[in-house]
Amino acid sequence: MVAVTLPDGSVLDLDDGVTVEEVAYEIGPGLGAATVAGVVDGELVDRHTPLSEDCTLEIVTEDSDEYLQVLRHSAAHVFAQALQRLHPEAKLTIGPPTDQGFYYDVTNVDLDEDDLEAIEDEMADIVEADYAIERVERSREEAFEVYEDNEYKQDILETEAADEESVSFYVQDDWQDLCQGPHVDSTGEVGAFELLDISAAYWRGDEENDTLTRVHGTAFPSEKDLEQFLERREEAKKRDHRRLGSELDLFSIPDTTGPGLPLYHPAGKTVLDELSGYVRDLNERYGYEYVETPHLFRTELWKKSGHYDNYRDDMFLLDVNDEEYGLKPMNCPGHATIFEEGSWSYRDLPVRYAEDGKVYRKEQRGELSGLSRVWAFTIDDGHLFCRPNDIEGEVDNIMTAINEVLETFDLDYTVALATRPEKSVGSDEIWERAESQLRDVLESSSLDYHVEPGDGAFYGPKIDFGFEDALGREWDGPTVQLDFNMPERFDLSYIGEDNEEHRPVMIHRALYGSYERFFMVLIEHFDGKFPLWLAPEQVRILPISDDNLGYAHRVKNELDDAGFRVEVEDRDQTIGRKIRGAHEDRLPYMIIVGDNEEEAGNISVRDRKEREEQDIDLDAFLSHLETERAEKRTEPDFLSE
């Protein structure tokens, strides 16, 4: 017998080998008939999957969130079938669903954007034919025969399926693909679809492997859903941080300097400095002391911390005088070493360190993308060392700081509690207490969150905040992580009230995550229209004619003295052209000065929402700017609608 736990907490005791679909029928005939797939212990599986161990089970129907993933996986197969109908020589590799649709990596065929329309037409024929999609089990020997000319599928059989006596294929009409599924019942259910673009990819994501052609597509149950997605996608392209970063002269990543190594131009560095100043104020308010660690360490440190074994392939390693050194992929070992060098009493704890630490990780080149994934990035890192009974209070303080950050920037986010993975360190009692403490903090904060079972770090559970970029991709942001491993590896201790040595708990936290990724999120979130306090140029003064340049500079001097970033547009242009230029540069405010303003000793003010008002007292405007900056308001609000 197996015990199957359902989402409502009820438990069904059923025969060993019962399938997901049979469990659904056990619950009710309507649910059984509607079953598309199942989620077993968090993993999406085919409805015919047998259950041989106690597990949790969620039935997937067309109304489930997971249904779209199943539909898109089937759309990837429809694409692959259509491609091989038109190009029988094409070799297939993998074609998974994604948050935005699906992709399929192929090779041995020359494709460009002009080929997509013909493939879409063939896909439409396959969907209209409404072929049944059937799961078929084949022996490994049969599978190798099917793919005798496809080294990529053979590689999959030799790795992912190495221990399996049989493997699953999904068959539609006269076409088949090695796949674990799940899929919808027939090609006719794919509904609305579109092929989006073509890019290059590496087999297994490794730049040392073959280069493949990646075709991206998407699919939805209805044309209306597809149209809405395409409209959002076009809007997202306008907000893409890579495009805006170039237009607003914020950053660049030239080929000559190396991949994933961003250069911040003066405007971009200004934004980063403001972000750093804000987080420094928060750190000082919450009792963090700033430390600094070098970019490079002997690999003895990384061996001691465990990163050498776990991160060596992602580290930049170099030989210096016959000794191996590594650019740091994380700041925590340096902070643990600083703590290790001291002698601590329970009265000294918690000890809180902060550092804007530059780190380096050797991501695969095919994964690099603007500021979202780079080789060199800076983490607004914080590590604190505390007694176990201080965990809840310290995490609560960190969450309060993170909430302040999120509210300041008016960001949408998701929250996840990541629990103990299979491979972990620490006793059951420590993990249960730690997870309970994190859960209590989340509950008391009234945040909506979901649990990601087994997704914690090997050294402790964590709370993760995630953001979506303009293209709908999810990225990690602020995080709180409990760590029982590093204190053990570094033999950290403090003297307790009993005069005995005790092991502290280490807490990792970041209020932004990395500056690069957070900057990316802000560029897209604000569409380049930064709040006044962040804007690289906060006010631009537009003289109507050269005769007003002297007055424009006197106004500028007053704003300069108050610490604002102000420029005078002194190029020989019409005032209309100057206004358009300031709007294109997404400036919060423009000050317009002409003969009337100079004679009256006042100004005209215009904001990026195209609101304008004349006869403004400069001191009144300056007072408002100071308030708007101090309160970190997200939109200019001096002028009313």
Side-chain angles (χ1 to χ4, degrees):
M1 303 292 287
V2 292
V4 180
T5 303
L6 303 177
D8 64 0
S10 60
V11 179
L12 298 178
D13 292 316
L14 301 168
D15 290 336
D16 183 6
V18 65
T19 67
V20 169
E21 186 176 49
E22 288 169 344
V23 175
Y25 273 108
E26 187 75 22
I27 298 169
L31 183 62
T35 299
V36 175
V39 179
V40 177
D41 291 337
E43 180 182 356
L44 187 63
V45 300
D46 188 276
R47 69 178 188 270
H48 300 299
T49 299
L51 308 179
S52 56
E53 297 179 352
D54 294 349
C55 62
T56 61
L57 171 64
E58 179 184 348
I59 302 298
V60 175
T61 69
E62 290 185 11
D63 297 325
S64 303
D65 292 340
E66 294 83 2
Y67 176 70
L68 198 54
Q69 184 176 345
V70 179
L71 180 75
R72 288 170 171 171
H73 199 172
S74 300
H77 277 210
V78 170
F79 159 77
Q81 182 181 9
L83 174 68
Q84 291 196 310
R85 279 185 175 183
L86 297 174
H87 301 278
E89 73 281 8
K91 289 184 180 181
L92 306 177
T93 65
I94 58 170
T98 67
D99 289 340
Q100 295 294 298
F102 63 87
Y103 69 81
Y104 217 118
D105 288 346
V106 301
T107 187
N108 205 44
V109 60
D110 187 17
L111 295 177
D112 58 35
E113 303 281 346
D114 294 336
D115 296 309
L116 298 185
E117 184 176 353
I119 299 172
E120 282 182 341
D121 290 342
E122 194 66 37
M123 290 174 67
D125 290 343
I126 294 169
V127 170
E128 185 177 359
D130 196 21
Y131 299 123
I133 301 177
E134 299 177 340
R135 179 186 177 101
V136 176
E137 291 289 325
R138 304 196 192 286
S139 68
R140 286 172 51 78
E141 291 74 14
E142 290 176 303
F144 273 106
E145 288 178 9
V146 170
Y147 292 117
E148 60 182 353
D149 296 323
N150 188 327
E151 62 271 31
Y152 306 99
K153 295 292 189 181
Q154 289 180 16
D155 187 9
I156 293 171
L157 289 168
E158 290 169 351
T159 52
E160 285 97 315
D163 299 327
E164 304 295 330
E165 294 182 4
S166 64
V167 293
S168 59
F169 281 73
Y170 280 83
V171 180
Q172 52 200 51
D173 189 32
D174 59 352
W175 181 88
Q176 62 182 342
D177 197 11
L178 175 69
C179 183
Q180 291 182 324
H183 290 278
V184 295
D185 284 339
S186 71
T187 60
E189 294 183 32
V190 168
F193 61 86
E194 182 156 328
L195 298 180
L196 302 173
D197 54 54
I198 293 177
S199 63
Y202 297 108
W203 173 238
R204 301 289 194 188
D206 188 337
E207 63 192 48
E208 309 240 339
N209 290 339
D210 294 345
T211 301
L212 309 172
T213 298
R214 176 168 293 179
V215 180
H216 294 265
T218 193
F220 289 89
S222 70
E223 287 290 343
K224 181 181 178 181
D225 292 333
L226 175 61
E227 289 172 8
Q228 290 176 342
F229 167 82
L230 294 175
E231 288 173 4
R232 290 195 304 271
R233 189 169 184 266
E234 285 305 307
E235 178 61 28
K237 286 181 180 178
K238 298 175 186 176
R239 289 175 174 255
D240 191 303
H241 77 284
R242 293 165 295 186
R243 185 179 69 82
L244 291 175
S246 175
E247 285 182 10
L248 301 177
D249 198 24
L250 299 172
F251 71 91
S252 61
I253 308 178
D255 290 340
T256 51
T257 58
L261 302 171
L263 304 178
Y264 292 103
H265 301 195
K269 178 58 176 169
T270 298
V271 178
L272 290 177
D273 285 346
E274 290 291 345
L275 291 174
S276 180
Y278 174 48
V279 86
R280 176 177 284 272
D281 289 343
L282 285 173
N283 281 331
E284 290 176 353
R285 194 194 316 162
Y286 283 94
Y288 286 79
E289 297 179 289
Y290 269 83
V291 298
E292 185 171 322
T293 57
H295 297 240
L296 189 70
F297 286 107
R298 294 175 62 225
T299 50
E300 292 306 309
L301 177 70
W302 307 117
K303 292 172 182 176
K304 185 174 182 178
S305 69
H307 289 98
Y308 193 80
D309 292 333
N310 290 289
Y311 279 89
R312 180 170 46 191
D313 292 341
D314 297 321
M315 290 179 63
F316 291 93
L317 300 173
L318 57 156
D319 182 80
V320 181
N321 297 329
D322 295 327
E323 271 197 293
E324 189 177 44
Y325 283 73
L327 291 173
K328 61 179 178 179
M330 294 183 180
N331 298 301
C332 37
H335 292 189
T337 302
I338 293 174
F339 185 89
E340 180 188 20
E341 303 248 309
S343 298
W344 306 99
S345 159
Y346 70 94
R347 294 187 183 90
D348 301 314
L349 304 186
V351 171
R352 307 180 186 94
Y353 296 142
E355 177 182 13
D356 283 345
K358 181 77 78 176
V359 297
Y360 304 85
R361 297 181 191 173
K362 191 169 61 176
E363 303 275 5
Q364 297 296 331
R365 291 197 184 197
E367 299 295 321
L368 299 175
S369 177
L371 297 180
S372 61
R373 197 176 293 277
V374 291
W375 274 358
F377 57 97
T378 303
I379 302 175
D380 70 304
D381 238 336
H383 295 97
L384 59 89
F385 305 86
C386 67
R387 298 176 299 173
N389 58 353
D390 290 332
I391 289 175
E392 192 166 341
E394 289 301 313
V395 172
D396 188 62
N397 285 337
I398 294 169
M399 294 289 288
T400 301
I402 289 174
N403 283 330
E404 183 173 334
V405 169
L406 298 173
E407 288 176 4
T408 295
F409 295 102
D410 191 26
L411 290 170
D412 294 326
Y413 57 89
T414 59
V415 185
L417 172 61
T419 60
R420 186 176 191 172
E422 284 188 24
K423 293 183 178 180
S424 60
V425 297
S427 68
D428 291 344
E429 180 183 357
I430 289 177
W431 273 87
E432 288 169 8
R433 181 178 180 186
E435 289 177 7
S436 175
Q437 287 172 314
L438 293 186
R439 195 184 300 271
D440 287 345
V441 171
L442 286 169
E443 294 290 346
S444 64
S445 70
S446 300
L447 287 172
D448 290 331
Y449 71 94
H450 63 280
V451 177
E452 293 183 343
D455 206 39
F458 72 93
Y459 49 74
K462 56 181 179 170
I463 298 172
D464 285 331
F465 290 75
F467 302 117
E468 273 195 3
D469 67 7
L471 298 176
R473 298 169 299 185
E474 288 202 2
W475 301 102
D476 293 336
T479 186
V480 187
Q481 304 176 1
L482 302 187
D483 186 348
F484 313 115
N485 177 61
M486 198 81 69
E488 192 74 32
R489 282 182 168 271
F490 282 78
D491 194 23
L492 304 183
S493 65
Y494 66 92
I495 302 300
E497 295 179 74
D498 57 2
N499 287 322
E500 297 292 331
E501 284 194 349
H502 295 270
R503 189 78 71 203
V505 176
M506 185 175 181
I507 301 179
H508 308 242
R509 57 100 274 206
L511 304 182
Y512 295 147
S514 77
Y515 279 92
E516 282 69 15
R517 194 166 287 173
F518 196 75
F519 193 13
M520 172 209 77
V521 169
L522 293 184
I523 293 170
E524 299 188 351
H525 175 67
F526 290 118
D527 190 22
K529 300 170 185 173
F530 294 111
L532 175 75
W533 71 278
L534 275 182
E537 184 181 348
Q538 295 166 316
V539 181
R540 185 175 298 175
I541 302 173
L542 313 178
I544 291 178
S545 73
D546 287 350
D547 293 338
N548 309 120
L549 275 172
Y551 183 59
H553 280 284
R554 289 197 294 275
V555 172
K556 178 182 186 298
N557 289 340
E558 289 201 41
L559 295 175
D560 280 342
D561 290 344
F564 288 97
R565 297 182 285 274
V566 187
E567 298 294 337
V568 173
E569 176 55 271
D570 57 4
R571 287 178 293 181
D572 184 17
Q573 296 176 339
T574 65
I575 190 64
R577 179 72 179 273
K578 291 177 180 180
I579 290 172
R580 284 196 301 275
H583 277 300
E584 289 170 358
D585 291 340
R586 293 165 165 79
L587 296 183
Y589 289 107
M590 293 156 260
I591 290 178
I592 300 171
V593 293
D595 293 340
N596 293 338
E597 287 80 9
E598 186 168 357
E599 183 177 341
N602 58 30
I603 58 175
S604 294
V605 177
R606 184 182 178 96
D607 66 18
R608 62 178 168 229
K609 292 185 175 181
E610 301 187 12
R611 300 176 297 196
E612 186 173 346
E613 192 171 333
Q614 300 174 348
D615 302 325
I616 300 296
D617 180 76
L618 177 58
D619 288 339
F621 181 57
L622 181 56
S623 176
H624 172 83
L625 289 181
E626 290 172 335
T627 301
E628 186 175 322
R629 177 178 62 185
E631 294 181 357
K632 294 183 169 55
R633 299 175 189 173
T634 56
E635 284 291 345
D637 62 355
F638 177 71
L639 302 173
S640 58
E641 295 290 350

